[in-house]
Amino acid sequence: MAVYNLWKRYFPRSVKKRVAVFFYDALSRMNTADDLLFLNHGYAALEGPGSTMELNPDLEKHRYPMQLYSRIADLIPWEDQNAVEISCGRGGGTAFVMDTKKPAELIGIDLAGASIDYCAKAHKAPGLSFQKGDAMQIPLDDASCDTVLNVESSFNYPDFEKFIGEVDRVLRPGGHFLIGDYRRAHSVDAFKASLDSLNYDVIEALDVSPHIIRALKLDSDRKVKMIQRYAPKFLHGVLTEFAFANTGPGSDIDLFERGQKVYWIYALRKPSAS
Ligand SMILES: C[S@@+](CC[C@H](N)C(=O)[O-])C[C@H]1O[C@@H](n2cnc3c(N)ncnc32)[C@H](O)[C@@H]1O
């Protein structure tokens, strides 16, 4: 935990970016079968078992991270859209959105090449594709997309403003930008100001931290068991932190509960050309 906290607090953002992508690449090289399709905190209802949707029993293990995608994707219409997910990770969310929302096209993009290789093999559907690319320089033409989706990844980026500029460049007038992510309390205002600077119409802007905390708690045992099953023992501690599966004092769950970390989701619409 000490090593992880040192890294989080004191390493320059440019180094963190490279280390993070190296780490995501390494995760994708591990043989985790289909147990690791998502890399996000998850979303849960505040009551009962936390379910917000019906699921096929073999997808139950992905319930909370899938519910986060569902919560965000439900905010806009997808029919006939040319959509892109920036930082698709292991592609579980990309495949889920393709399957449930059925846009005309959905491209998953990530900087971690091993994740893209995994996605291309694991998730196949008409209209669904994956390619390696950087959120700082999205490999798509100007005004070529109707929807940009971004889930829990922008905290990794060395320059959030640059990402926002790239989203604006690739989105068509009338297109949607969906983003869900967390920030330290002291940088939430800067996060919101960057999004406000787009001058897009706001469909939803909501602090969903209580739902994230509940999901982290409900999903913690599953994550710990998965780490014990697939990772070498010397990595168990750091991976438990990385997966936010630690529930003790000083953990990420604790930071969320004390309001030191906050999770926001936004759905924005770029104004149509006049
Ligand atoms: C926490 S994971 C989230 C993945 C996925 N959205 C999910 O919820 O399962 C963050 C992802 O961001 C990707 N990433 C980090 N920096 C990136 C960049 N500059 N451009 C594109 N992807 C990046 C990482 O490789 C990783 O797959």
Side-chain angles (χ1 to χ4, degrees):
M1 178 148 164
V3 176
Y4 183 72
N5 281 339
L6 278 176
W7 176 68
K8 270 198 308 188
R9 273 172 178 266
Y10 299 114
F11 272 56
R13 290 185 74 80
S14 57
V15 177
K16 272 192 197 160
K17 171 189 162 181
R18 264 178 264 136
V19 174
V21 173
F22 173 81
F23 206 72
Y24 290 120
D25 245 328
L27 273 184
S28 270
R29 288 206 175 86
M30 287 166 60
N31 182 13
T32 50
D34 67 348
D35 281 342
L36 185 64
L37 295 184
F38 294 86
L39 300 161
N40 68 54
H41 286 54
Y43 180 96
L46 300 179
E47 307 293 332
S51 316
T52 62
M53 60 186 196
E54 297 281 312
L55 267 184
N56 193 318
D58 55 332
L59 293 176
E60 194 57 46
K61 59 190 170 191
H62 302 301
R63 170 171 290 286
Y64 302 109
M66 230 173 212
Q67 288 185 171
L68 180 60
Y69 270 88
S70 170
R71 177 69 179 80
I72 297 171
D74 279 352
L75 294 169
I76 58 156
W78 288 81
E79 204 176 300
D80 299 329
Q81 303 291 290
N82 294 108
V84 59
E85 179 177 16
I86 306 297
S87 298
C88 60
R90 305 264 298 169
T94 333
F96 168 75
V97 170
M98 192 71 206
D99 189 39
T100 55
K101 301 295 180 189
K102 305 202 182 330
E105 176 195 41
L106 179 55
I107 307 170
I109 291 179
D110 201 285
L111 195 51
S115 296
I116 292 299
D117 292 346
Y118 172 80
C119 288
K121 276 190 218 128
H123 311 294
K124 292 190 193 295
L128 180 65
S129 64
F130 295 92
Q131 76 181 78
K132 188 175 172 185
D134 193 341
M136 300 293 96
Q137 204 171 357
I138 299 175
L140 297 174
D141 291 340
D142 296 359
S144 58
C145 308
D146 301 304
T147 305
V148 175
L149 171 66
N150 185 245
V151 178
E152 209 173 302
S153 300
S154 68
F155 68 93
N156 280 306
Y157 304 160
D159 187 344
F160 185 61
E161 297 282 337
K162 191 164 181 198
F163 170 58
I164 294 295
E166 281 293 277
V167 170
D168 190 45
R169 181 182 66 74
V170 300
L171 263 188
R172 293 187 184 121
H176 291 109
F177 176 33
L178 297 173
I179 180 166
D181 214 343
Y182 63 89
R183 289 291 184 276
R184 287 265 174 179
H186 61 77
S187 36
V188 169
D189 285 349
F191 173 72
K192 290 181 179 174
S194 299
L195 293 170
D196 288 349
S197 72
L198 282 167
N199 284 318
Y200 285 8
D201 304 325
V202 179
I203 299 167
E204 176 102 276
L206 197 65
D207 176 354
V208 293
S209 306
H211 295 273
I212 302 297
I213 294 168
R214 185 116 207 279
L216 285 172
K217 288 182 175 171
L218 289 167
D219 216 12
S220 148
D221 280 354
R222 178 192 68 90
K223 290 181 189 166
V224 169
K225 282 188 189 127
M226 189 166 63
I227 290 164
Q228 287 169 348
R229 175 166 183 200
Y230 292 113
K233 201 164 180 195
F234 75 96
L235 285 177
H236 287 184
V238 78
L239 285 174
T240 302
E241 293 301 325
F242 185 77
F244 307 108
N246 182 4
T247 53
S251 65
D252 276 83
I253 296 178
D254 189 33
L255 293 179
F256 273 111
E257 285 192 312
R258 287 191 282 123
Q260 293 182 9
K261 273 181 124 173
V262 197
Y263 205 114
W264 278 77
I265 57 175
Y266 271 76
L268 303 172
R269 187 190 304 107
K270 183 172 181 167
S272 302
S274 48

